[in-house]
Amino acid sequence: MLVAFSVSPAGGDPDGGVSEAVSRAVKVVRDSGLPNSTNAMFTNVEGDWDEVMDVVKRAVEAAGEGAARVSLVLKADIRPGYEGQLTAKVERVEQHLR
């Protein structure tokens, strides 16, 4: 499965920045060893249901350290029998653009 998620704590930085909290979440994802990527809006992670959801849960907990509330947006592509889709899906689109 592929999961794209965004996590953000409420409160904290007076200018509204969340980069410190988000970096804690991204570290959890990167340390998991699962295929992943991060862009300006989401972190993507690929693996089986249980391992991906465990990583998301731990990432939310890390981002929420010291916050009274945390927001999570999650989108999942569940396609049994397929692996490597984190890059393969993008490559298929790129092929059409050539």
Side-chain angles (χ1 to χ4, degrees), residues 33-92:
L34 296 177
N36 67 84
S37 65
T38 299
N39 59 51
M41 297 291 293
F42 288 94
T43 295
N44 304 297
V45 62
E46 182 174 14
D48 73 31
W49 182 277
D50 290 333
E51 61 191 2
V52 169
M53 289 303 160
D54 176 62
V55 169
V56 170
K57 179 182 179 187
R58 290 186 293 115
V60 169
E61 290 169 348
E65 289 175 9
R69 179 182 240 163
V70 178
S71 173
L72 171 66
V73 174
L74 185 143
K75 182 176 181 178
D77 180 1
I78 303 161
R79 194 173 183 194
Y82 286 80
E83 294 180 4
Q85 297 304 296
L86 188 68
T87 55
K89 288 177 79 167
V90 176
E91 182 54 35
R92 287 192 295 271

Side-chain angles (χ1 to χ4, degrees), residues 87-98:
T87 55
K89 288 177 79 167
V90 176
E91 182 54 35
R92 287 192 295 271
V93 171
E94 291 295 335
Q95 286 176 0
H96 289 287
L97 293 170
R98 290 186 199 125

